[in-house]
Structures are given as structure tokens and as C-alpha cells.
């Protein structure tokens, strides 16, 4: 393991705090946490970060904290974990952390985060990762990690190749593995990202727009057709970009298992949309497939229209017709 | 005026009853009314049909009534006014009314009714009409007509040319004009049908899916873009079918006037969808544009997806997430 890489975690909400904890548990010893949440940053600075996970509690001390990336200085690795809608402003604010030797690794959800980062750094400095981890920020300085059965499959690697990104991603994978997660390094992380994001995009946006659970969508022929159209558009786009040959068949054959496991729930984007009335991550799911479709010259009409609908609704939650039963 | 044409009105709910009343007021003297609503049919048979409109009340006697088209026998004109989702079964049930000399005229809402009829009769026997008339069935035998300022612009004519359809449509226009409506005969009614249906399709489906009024849609850039996409797809399809050259510019320039007049309301399809949880007429609006687009070889992705969404939701009203505020 390469020692003494200076890491800055940009965006330390629940997920950023949990990932930072596993990095430290795994041996990383020069970690800066940056977040606008002053109470959380101050609690970590004064008392350390308490990680609760199925293995128990770990009080982790020695993090550097800051309210702004300006205070951090040049880093070896900048891990981006802000909401994707804030990536642009966060990266502008982090300019002083980044040199030509800084790897910038997005562990944000969904697709297209690399396109956002490519506006700020050369492609060989860009890495991405994906994985599902339930996280909660319980109180300032206290974060909770709920990996299913203690194990989460994560995939981390360069997006466009490049030694610099590869070295940083291997370092992160090393620390995560020693810290208790179950990460895998990939020379090209894009097929894994696309598989996961494509699978999520279909049910997430369709369940949101229809107001139905995954099982209800699965049981309605027209609704399920919409999901499959999204999967097809994602698969065609990934193929046109030479990322993966035929994601579609695998994605369709995975549907029954997903419905058996999570069928009675609304997927996360649908929860944000229906219940919490939050800005959703649509731009990194079907919205990102639309963006990549344009780059690849692939028509993505279902993703286009579903994304437009989600975008228009989330700008007008307060005005929307309320269903009084 | 040609006398003694035998007319059967297939589907005598509020609108069918009102139209039948104006036909009789205008001189038609051999009119059969067919509806499954026995109380309504029996009341008309026993006491006549009472029409209430801004000019006062008219008690109209002499209608023939039937619960089923089987009892009517061959007609000169079959006016179709069932819900478009019931056209197929109604036309099957009306087979004994139709000969090679029968004109079949749909006065149903929206587009594509002629495609449904063309499955049963040759094209030269098919007419269509459009117009907006507020109608209510107040009680059995009593119908209400609320034409704005007493005047309603209706357009009626053959869809595919043909003497037979032309003669029947002229007869209907004659009766309506003498009866108190404001109809216009057109040698080709399709441009008028398309203009009206295209204008309706955009706001109707978009307001429904977004849960926003016309004004709220008009004020949101993304939502308004969806409406304009529908108008563009309708216009392109009408052009490819050689129905009308460029509906789009006129449709877009009409938007501000429509929003000024009806902006604070949900259009009828959106009311069915959001408030009453009824089966909507989506198949004759954006759904019909999709159907015609396929015939014309024009891509209609926005209409396709919006129609799929409306179709999937109206099959699952009872299961849909309820917005508890």
C-alpha cells in the first residue's frame, strides 16, 4: 500500500462521513473532511467521528476538517460526494485543492458525474465508483453505516484510463477493503457504473412519475414497457459509446429478482419525488442517459420525456394537485 | 334540405341527447336514440326529451328509442357518440344498422375516431365532426346544453371524401344550423379536427401528468417545452399525412390566449385523471397522434411516452401514491 496520500472528501453528509470512516479504518492517515455543516465539522474536530456499523462502534480521531475547500490546499485525491446538482459549484470552490497530480474521484450516485468533472480536470485524472450503502447522519459527529449483511459490492476505477486515476482508485480500494467494505478495483469502471445506473433509472423514474411501487409497475404491462424502454435506451447508448455490448438482456432478466427483493418499496428517486418533495437525482439517472445519448447519437426519447417530467414537477412541488383521496 | 333521412344516434348520454335535440329542432324527423341507460330511453319514449339551453326549454317528442342498435334496422346516417374506448364494441353491435348506403359520422372528441370506423365501413362512408359544447344529463329525459354565448363553432365533413359521407354531413349541418347551433360544413374536415385535437393534446396530457394547471405549465420552461413537443409532433404528423402544412406556428401563437382564458383550470383530461379518476380520452388525443405518427412514419416520442404514462396510471388509480400534504 502506498502511504501518505492526502485525501480530501468534498461533501461530508452521511455518505461522505461513512466513506471517510472506512478510509481511516483502512489506514489512510491524512484525510480532510469538507462540509458546510459546521456543527458536524466542529464535532469531528473536537471529539472525532463516531462510526456505527454492524461490527459495532468506532471512534475515529485525527481527521482534519474545514467548512470550505479553500483551507485544504493541494491534495493527492479529491473524493467528490456532494449532491450531483452541486458538483459544479463545489468543484469551483475546490480549485485550490487540485493540481495536475490530483486524482478526482466521484463516488456520487448515477451516471454523468465524470462529464461534470471533465469540465475541471483532464480525463486521466478522473475516477468514479459505485456501490450501495445505507447511511445516516445521526447527529453531528455520529454517522451510521448499514451495509446489507455487512458487505457492499463497490466498483471503483478510472473512467478514461490514466495512471494517475488508477493509482488513486487502487489506494481507495485498498483502504476500503482493510476498513471493512467489499470494494473491487476495475481498470475501466464504466460498464459497472452503467449497469447499475441503467437498472436504477428505469424503475426510479417510472415509479416516481406513475406513483406506483416497483411491484405495481411490474404488474402493469404499459408501465413495465416504459421501464424496459429506459433499459433499452441505456443499453443502446452504452453500446454506441463502446462501454458495454448488450446490457439490455441482463438488465431485463434481473428485474424479477429486484422486484422480489424491493418490490413493495418506492425506489429512492420516487421517495424523493412522491414523499419528501426533494430535488431528485434525475440528472444522474435517466437525465444522464439522455445526455450521453446525445453524445453517442442514440435516440433516448423515453429518458428525455421522463426526465423532463421529473424536472418540471420538482420545480413545482408546492403547486401540484394534491390528491385528497 | 333532403327530407326523411333516417338517423341513429349511437350513444345518448349528455352530448348525444343534446345533439339529437338540435337535429330534431332543425327538422330531422326520423331519429333513433340508442343507449344502455334504460331509464333515460324510457323517459324519452314516454314523455319526450326536454332540452334546456340558453334560449329556454324545448320538449321534443317523436324520437324512437332503443336499448340496443339491433332494434333499429338500416339507417341513412349513424352518428357515433359513445366513448371512444367503446367504439369497437358499439360498432359491432350496430352491424344491422349499416348498409353500403349508410354514412357513419363520429362526433366524438379527438382524433383517430375515423381509424376506428374504418375497421367497419369503407372510407367514403365516414364523416367526422368537432366542436365544444358543454352538456349535462340532468335526469332521465332531461338534457342541458351550455354553448358559450349560445354559439358553438362546429366543423363537420367527410374524412376521406366521398359523396355519401358528404351528403350526410351536409344534412347534419343543415339541421344543426336550423336547430340553433353554429356548424360549418367542410369538404375535408381533417385540418379542423387536427387543429383542435393538437391544441388540446398538449395541455391536456401535460397538465394531467404534472398535476399542474395550464397557467402553471405555461410558467415552467420544462413543462411548456413538453407541450410544444406535442404540438410539433402533431404538426409534423399532419404535414406528413398531407392534412395541414404547418399547424405548429399557429398552435404556439394561440397558447397565450388559451392560457389567458382557461389558465387557472385543469383541462378535461387532467380533471378526469387528477380529480375524478376516470378513464380518460387519451387515446383520441396524444395517443391518436402516436397512432397516426406510426402510419405517417413520423416519430412522436413525447406523445408516445405521455400516453403510456396516462394509460398506466388510469389502470392503477386505486394503487397510486396518495399525496397526504
Amino acid at each position: 500500500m502506498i502511504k501518505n496520500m492526502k485525501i480530501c472528501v468534498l461533501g461530508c453528509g452521511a455518505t461522505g462521513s461513512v466513506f471517510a470512516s472506512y478510509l481511516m479504518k483502512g489506514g489512510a492517515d491524512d484525510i480532510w473532511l469538507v462540509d458546510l455543516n459546521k456543527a458536524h465539522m466542529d464535532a469531528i474536530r473536537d471529539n472525532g467521528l463516531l462510526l456505527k456499523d454492524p461490527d459495532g462502534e468506532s471512534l475515529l480521531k485525527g481527521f482534519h476538517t474545514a467548512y470550505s475547500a479553500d483551507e485544504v490546499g493541494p491534495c493527492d485525491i479529491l473524493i467528490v460526494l456532494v449532491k450531483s446538482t452541486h458538483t459544479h459549484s463545489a468543484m469551483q470552490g475546490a480549485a485550490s485543492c487540485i493540481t495536475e497530480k490530483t486524482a478526482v474521484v466521484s463516488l456520487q450516485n448515477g451516471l454523468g458525474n465524470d462529464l461534470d468533472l471533465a469540465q475541471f480536470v483532464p480525463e486521466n485524472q478522473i475516477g468514479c465508483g459505485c456501490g450501495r450503502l445505507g447511511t445516516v447522519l445521526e447527529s453531528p459527529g455520529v454517522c451510521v453505516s448499514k451495509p446489507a449483511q455487512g458487505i457492499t459490492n463497490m466498483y471503483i476505477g478510472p473512467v478514461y484510463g490514466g495512471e494517475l486515476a488508477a493509482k488513486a482508485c487502487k489506494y481507495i480500494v485498498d483502504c476500503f477493503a482493510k476498513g471493512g467494505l467489499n470494494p473491487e478495483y476495475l481498470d475501466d469502471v464504466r460498464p459497472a457504473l452503467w449497469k447499475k445506473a441503467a437498472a436504477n433509472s428505469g424503475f426510479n423514474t417510472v415509479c416516481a412519475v406513475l406513483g406506483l411501487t416497483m411491484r405495481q409497475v411490474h404488474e402493469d404491462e404499459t408501465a413495465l414497457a416504459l421501464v424496459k424502454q429506459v433499459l433499452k435506451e441505456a443499453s443502446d447508448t452504452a453500446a454506441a459509446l463502446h462501454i458495454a455490448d448488450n446490457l439490455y438482456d441482463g438488465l431485463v432478466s434481473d428485474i424479477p429478482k429486484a422486484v422480489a427483493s424491493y418490490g413493495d418499496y418506492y425506489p429512492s428517486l420516487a421517495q424523493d419525488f412522491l414523499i419528501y418533495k426533494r430535488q431528485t437525482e434525475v440528472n444522474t439517472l435517466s437525465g444522464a442517459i439522455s445526455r450521453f445519448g446525445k453524445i453517442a447519437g442514440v435516440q433516448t426519447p423515453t429518458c428525455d420525456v421522463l426526465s423532463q417530467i421529473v424536472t418540471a414537477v420538482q420545480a413545482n412541488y408546492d403547486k401540484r394537485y394534491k390528491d385528497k383521496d
Side-chain angles (χ1 to χ4, degrees), chain A:
Chain A
M1 184 163 124
I2 308 123
K3 278 285 174 192
N4 294 324
M5 287 196 109
K6 178 176 174 183
I7 301 177
C8 174
V9 180
L10 193 62
C12 278
T15 303
S17 301
V18 166
F19 280 149
S21 300
Y22 287 117
L23 287 174
M24 184 173 274
K25 285 183 78 174
D29 56 5
D30 188 6
I31 307 177
W32 282 79
L33 309 183
V34 176
D35 203 275
L36 294 171
N37 181 341
K38 292 191 182 189
H40 184 44
M41 291 298 101
D42 291 350
I44 296 171
R45 180 195 61 204
D46 296 342
N47 308 313
L49 178 55
L50 184 66
L51 169 72
K52 299 181 178 180
D53 76 3
D55 290 339
E57 299 191 355
S58 319
L59 182 60
L60 301 157
K61 297 201 172 190
F63 288 111
H64 310 282
T65 63
Y67 313 137
S68 154
D70 278 346
E71 305 170 39
V72 179
C75 300
D76 297 305
I77 304 175
L78 181 70
I79 295 178
V80 182
L81 269 164
V82 296
K83 271 207 159 192
S84 61
T85 43
H86 300 150
T87 300
H88 196 87
S89 60
M91 284 297 287
Q92 284 180 319
S96 63
C97 303
I98 302 169
T99 72
E100 63 190 0
K101 293 184 178 167
T102 306
V104 182
V105 180
S106 164
L107 299 181
Q108 298 157 289
N109 275 334
L111 284 176
N113 298 303
D114 56 311
L115 288 185
D116 292 336
L117 298 182
Q119 296 174 42
F120 296 93
V121 291
E123 296 183 341
N124 71 325
Q125 293 178 235
I126 298 175
C128 277
C130 63
R132 177 128 294 182
L133 196 64
T135 63
V136 178
L137 194 61
E138 201 173 81
S139 59
V142 181
C143 63
V144 183
S145 166
K146 300 186 276 192
Q149 292 107 35
I151 294 169
T152 303
N153 286 308
M154 292 192 68
Y155 301 96
I156 302 174
V159 178
Y160 306 98
E163 268 309 298
L164 202 113
K167 195 175 130 188
C169 290
K170 283 176 185 164
Y171 182 78
I172 293 170
V173 165
D174 237 23
C175 295
F176 277 164
K178 289 178 182 151
L181 294 179
N182 189 27
E184 185 174 334
Y185 171 82
L186 297 173
D187 271 326
D188 178 3
V189 76
R190 295 178 307 162
L193 289 180
W194 273 78
K195 193 177 171 196
K196 178 166 182 287
N200 282 344
S201 296
F203 276 105
N204 265 287
T205 34
V206 172
C207 290
V209 169
L210 300 185
L212 299 175
T213 64
M214 286 176 69
R215 190 181 312 283
Q216 290 163 345
V217 165
H218 190 244
E219 285 170 357
D220 183 277
E221 191 183 356
T222 311
L224 186 61
L226 279 168
V227 172
K228 288 184 179 173
Q229 287 162 220
V230 171
L231 301 180
K232 185 71 169 56
E233 291 172 8
S235 176
D236 289 349
T237 302
L241 293 171
H242 306 292
I243 290 171
D245 255 357
N246 175 13
L247 290 173
Y248 183 73
D249 292 343
L251 289 168
V252 169
S253 65
D254 282 349
I255 289 177
K257 203 172 62 181
V259 172
S261 302
Y262 317 114
D264 296 326
Y265 300 98
Y266 297 106
S268 60
L269 184 148
Q271 290 183 26
D272 286 342
F273 185 94
L274 296 168
I275 303 167
Y276 304 116
K277 316 262 188 276
R278 288 197 281 241
Q279 298 308 296
T280 73
E281 298 192 301
V282 68
N283 285 328
T284 69
L285 294 170
S286 50
I289 295 168
S290 291
R291 288 160 72 195
F292 280 107
K294 280 187 190 68
I295 292 170
V298 172
Q299 302 269 316
T300 59
T302 313
C303 290
D304 298 351
V305 176
L306 288 170
S307 304
Q308 285 178 292
I309 292 169
V310 172
T311 301
V313 168
Q314 68 188 14
N316 292 281
Y317 281 133
D318 54 324
K319 302 181 188 129
R320 214 181 181 208
Y321 180 78
K322 296 278 188 293
D323 198 334
K324 300 288 193 306
D325 234 316

